[in-house]
Amino acid sequence: MGEHEFLTETWSKIDPSVKKPRIGYSVFVCIVAAIGGLSFGYDLGVLSSVLVMPRFTESLTLSTWDKTNIVGLFLVGCTFGSALQGIFSDKFGRKWTIICGALFVILGGLIQSLALNVPMLFAGRFIDGLAIGAFSALVPVYMAECAIHSFRGAMVTGQQFMIILGMSLAYWVDFLTYRVFPSSDWQWRAPLIVPTLLGLLIFFTMMTMPRSPRWLLSKGHSNEALINLARLRMLPVDNEYVTTEFAEMEWSLERDQQTGSTTFKEMLSTPILRKRLLVICGINAYQQLSGNNGVSYYAPQFYQLLQVGGTDSLLLLQGVYGLIILIMTIPTIFIIERLGRRLILIAGSVIMTFFMLALGILFAVTTGGDPNNVATLVANKSLGILGVCFILLFIAGYMASWGPVVWVVSSEVFPLRVRSKAIAVSSMIQWLSNTLTVYIVPLAMAVNTYGIFIALGLVAFTSIPFVYFFLPETRGATLEEMDDIWLEEKKILNFSRKEMEVQDSLI
């Protein structure tokens, strides 16, 4: 009998009359943790509109390269932050590492909003990035370790919803400050101080949250781990559901301890861990290299090229863009445990490929590749509107699939003994890919308007066979069952619905 079957049988033996877990408190904990995602999204979104504000470029005398570096250095900070969190979260725990990250958000927000020159702005963005990188890797892990397994996908998808809510908030704050402060530096300083307020919110709310039961157990704090698990399930510590889940955690930890602690070198030399790491690094790279970030960071510049209006129209369009991405994230929260991770990712890849290639063809036909050749777009506004529609439809497909689902998969597939290290590596790949996109897109657009869109569309296309052949379906499984799922290759593509129904019926 495999581990997955053994654990499923253990859960199925629970007396049906025993009081079942309630999700209320664990949902609340996940929502509070996801404020880190709100801060993450806000910082990702705020610069796209600030970069086209007249007062911003006039106050700091920015070159095109400076604008690219403002975004790029933030992402470099994110890369370092995502790597360092693995060390700190293993040693000090998920909760306190998130709280420490909040202090960096507060400091970075103050520096960038009060910047007197370009280097000061660079410093603020880099410091802010350190925290955001840590949040991006750590918040989904904390949520996954606290959530009830049958709702884990929905809860971690909620992290993406908060990221998108933050981005949408940033776009509308930018639009409002542009209108309210037409001739004042507060036009751009006000949006950049909001991260400080979010950092304060994260700091004070996380202080009241429980520490991860799985992390506590791994550090030998068994009593506190059991108490926190019961608290998260809203049940007494002697309830059979609590004791069964806790026994499962202990069993998994004992198995991990027999293996011993795993270094990065050992993780790469162990076939089953190496395979998981490579696949998760792959989907994180695809998430960033399939075009989303080029659109997110430079959408206003794309709108300018498409000749769809002045600064007011560009910022308003970005606000509409924010609403669309927010709305498209919501359905995934409710369908991810029904349709599974793989189907949603593949469907998203098909949509993204089509509209990214369509956008490339549109630019090829209208500009011939020359960014200065916009006569056709000026003469025919409907073509510009069509281009905007392609952008919005592309991002809608992304936000309903690759945007949220990658966070879920990344947070759930690794065993506890390597989880922080593995997430650190995959997050670094994600942020490095993100940084690469930020620097390549404007350089490529300056040379050829359509080539980059064709290339990104082809990247999105290659993600389809990657997901189909390499990524197992993990819906309905507990964190402790992941080893067996990845070991049994034949079950990867045909995860038993009957087994998942047994799991789902327990909650």
Side-chain angles (χ1 to χ4, degrees):
M1 181 183 293
E3 295 169 2
H4 179 69
E5 286 83 358
F6 169 75
L7 293 171
T8 300
E9 183 178 328
T10 301
W11 280 93
S12 64
K13 289 180 179 178
I14 297 177
D15 187 341
S17 65
V18 173
K19 187 176 181 181
K20 297 179 181 180
R22 289 176 289 170
I23 67 170
Y25 184 64
S26 62
V27 170
F28 175 70
V29 169
C30 289
I31 290 172
V32 170
I35 299 173
L38 184 71
S39 177
F40 174 7
Y42 187 90
D43 272 304
L44 284 179
V46 69
L47 255 294
S48 63
S49 296
V50 166
L51 289 174
V52 299
M53 289 183 180
R55 289 299 306 161
F56 181 66
T57 53
E58 292 168 8
S59 299
L60 297 178
T61 317
L62 295 162
S63 66
T64 301
W65 187 242
D66 286 335
K67 291 181 179 181
T68 302
N69 280 327
I70 290 170
V71 178
L73 286 173
F74 168 74
L75 298 176
V76 171
C78 290
T79 303
F80 281 104
S82 65
L84 292 173
Q85 66 77 29
I87 300 170
F88 286 97
S89 66
D90 264 349
K91 185 174 180 62
F92 301 108
R94 292 39 165 145
K95 170 183 173 177
W96 290 106
T97 306
I98 293 172
I99 290 171
C100 180
L103 296 176
F104 278 83
V105 172
I106 293 167
L107 177 62
L110 285 173
I111 293 174
Q112 66 184 2
S113 63
L114 300 175
L116 302 176
N117 50 50
V118 174
M120 192 172 173
L121 184 61
F122 286 168
R125 292 299 289 170
F126 178 80
I127 293 170
D128 206 3
L130 289 172
I132 298 306
F135 289 163
S136 71
L138 188 54
V139 168
V141 171
Y142 177 76
M143 295 169 74
E145 291 182 351
C146 291
I148 296 174
H149 64 83
S150 58
F151 291 91
R152 186 180 63 245
M155 291 299 97
V156 181
T157 301
Q159 153 82 349
Q160 175 68 9
F161 175 78
M162 293 295 275
I163 292 172
I164 302 310
L165 180 61
M167 293 176 69
S168 184
L169 175 65
Y171 299 147
W172 286 105
V173 168
D174 286 343
F175 178 71
L176 289 174
T177 57
Y178 172 76
R179 298 298 297 271
V180 173
F181 305 110
S183 58
S184 168
D185 281 358
W186 281 106
Q187 183 182 96
W188 62 271
R189 293 189 189 276
L192 294 183
I193 204 171
V194 171
T196 296
L197 304 179
L198 293 175
L200 288 168
L201 181 61
I202 295 167
F203 180 86
F204 288 111
T205 54
M206 280 303 299
M207 292 289 283
T208 65
M209 293 298 102
R211 293 194 286 179
S212 162
R214 287 175 170 83
W215 179 84
L216 286 167
L217 187 61
S218 72
K219 297 301 178 181
H221 304 298
S222 303
N223 289 336
E224 187 180 352
L226 179 59
I227 291 169
N228 281 8
L229 181 63
R231 182 182 172 194
L232 286 162
R233 302 299 176 256
M234 303 178 72
L235 293 171
V237 293
D238 60 353
N239 178 277
E240 193 174 356
Y241 280 97
V242 174
T243 56
T244 299
E245 184 173 358
F246 191 72
E248 183 182 70
M249 289 163 53
E250 287 184 311
W251 171 81
S252 179
L253 181 62
E254 287 173 7
R255 182 194 57 194
D256 288 348
Q257 287 174 339
Q258 290 173 1
T259 306
S261 61
T262 306
T263 64
F264 285 109
K265 183 178 180 180
E266 290 167 338
M267 188 163 53
L268 290 173
S269 63
T270 306
I272 187 62
L273 293 179
R274 181 175 64 244
K275 177 181 177 180
R276 269 186 263 193
L277 183 63
L278 292 175
V279 171
I280 297 306
C281 285
I283 66 168
N284 275 275
Y286 272 118
Q287 186 193 45
Q288 304 303 314
L289 295 175
S290 55
N292 163 62
N293 289 304
V295 172
S296 295
Y297 295 132
Y298 299 113
Q301 285 97 313
F302 294 162
Y303 300 151
Q304 282 180 325
L305 183 61
L306 289 166
Q307 303 295 307
V308 292
T311 304
D312 283 72
S313 298
L314 300 180
L315 297 184
L316 181 59
L317 266 176
Q318 197 68 341
V320 173
Y321 171 95
L323 290 177
I324 289 173
I325 62 178
L326 183 64
I327 292 168
M328 291 307 301
T329 305
I330 296 173
T332 310
I333 297 174
F334 301 100
I335 65 174
I336 189 169
E337 295 299 348
R338 291 180 176 272
L339 299 182
R341 285 70 162 143
R342 286 161 39 83
L343 179 59
I344 294 174
L345 288 175
I346 291 171
S349 294
V350 172
I351 295 169
M352 291 155 55
T353 299
F354 179 83
F355 288 109
M356 186 56 70
L357 291 177
L359 187 61
I361 293 170
L362 177 66
F363 275 120
V365 171
T366 56
T367 68
D370 184 356
N372 296 312
N373 181 22
V374 294
T376 303
L377 290 168
V378 171
N380 194 337
K381 295 292 185 181
S382 60
L383 291 176
I385 295 172
L386 181 63
V388 171
C389 290
F390 287 160
I391 290 174
L392 296 180
L393 289 168
F394 164 84
I395 207 65
Y398 173 88
M399 289 302 171
S401 57
W402 282 83
V405 175
V406 170
W407 298 108
V408 177
V409 176
S410 298
S411 68
E412 67 186 6
V413 302
F414 297 107
L416 183 61
R417 70 183 186 276
V418 300
R419 190 169 295 149
S420 293
K421 295 184 180 72
I423 292 295
V425 173
S426 63
S427 294
M428 281 184 63
I429 295 298
Q430 183 187 74
W431 287 113
L432 286 171
S433 303
N434 197 333
T435 305
L436 183 66
T437 303
V438 164
Y439 281 100
I440 286 178
V441 168
L443 292 175
M445 286 289 291
V447 177
N448 184 298
T449 55
Y450 66 85
I452 187 63
F453 297 107
I454 299 295
L456 294 173
L458 293 176
V459 170
F461 177 76
T462 61
S463 68
I464 298 172
F466 184 87
V467 170
Y468 183 82
F469 289 110
F470 298 114
L471 183 67
E473 182 55 68
T474 55
R475 60 174 177 168
T478 67
L479 296 179
E480 285 69 34
E481 294 171 321
M482 293 298 167
D483 279 349
D484 201 49
I485 292 173
W486 282 79
L487 280 169
E488 297 184 26
E489 293 292 333
K490 290 183 179 179
K491 275 178 62 177
I492 282 179
L493 301 182
N494 298 287
F495 193 82
S496 168
R497 175 175 293 276
K498 182 178 180 181
E499 289 174 330
M500 287 186 291
E501 287 175 350
V502 170
Q503 294 287 332
D504 292 340
S505 68
L506 296 176
I507 302 301

